[in-house]
Amino acid sequence: MRVALRRVPASRWPSIPRWVIALLVVYAAVIVAGAWLARRHGVEFVLCQFKRVTGRPCPGCGATRGVLALRDGRPLVAGLGNPLVMSALLGLALLATLLAATARRFEFERDRPARAAAWTCGVALRVANWIWLWDRA
């Protein structure tokens, strides 16, 4: 198994694809509109359709509440809401800071066994996170 990490010069501010920006804007609009309508009509706001149908949390449940808890300055509540998503957000924030500070980007070269191991670890983490969420529901 071989994994190589190279630092390559990059633009200080990497471009963000327009579709990512559009997706984030639509997601935020849906959350704001849904929360406003739920509050106006006095009903519980459930963004997750999986949870609405099954009554159980999906693998991503708690991410929105976690981001809102981070906004309110409660990192422990955010981390307990969905540990995997909050860890990923923290890692992405640190990586973005590192990339902006050093004007470097990282390239990973992996052979087939390393890719298989990475996918296996990713799936195992996702399943463990989902079990965590089901136990808290």
Side-chain angles (χ1 to χ4, degrees), residues 23-76:
L23 186 65
L24 290 173
V25 167
V26 168
Y27 179 70
V30 166
I31 290 172
V32 168
W36 180 77
L37 286 171
R39 185 175 295 155
R40 182 177 171 104
H41 296 288
V43 296
E44 181 184 6
F45 175 61
V46 179
L47 179 66
C48 179
Q49 297 304 314
F50 184 88
K51 187 173 184 175
R52 184 184 303 236
V53 171
T54 65
R56 302 299 278 178
C58 75
C61 273
T64 302
R65 287 186 305 273
V67 170
L68 294 175
L70 283 176
R71 181 199 66 188
D72 296 338
R74 299 179 300 153
L76 185 61

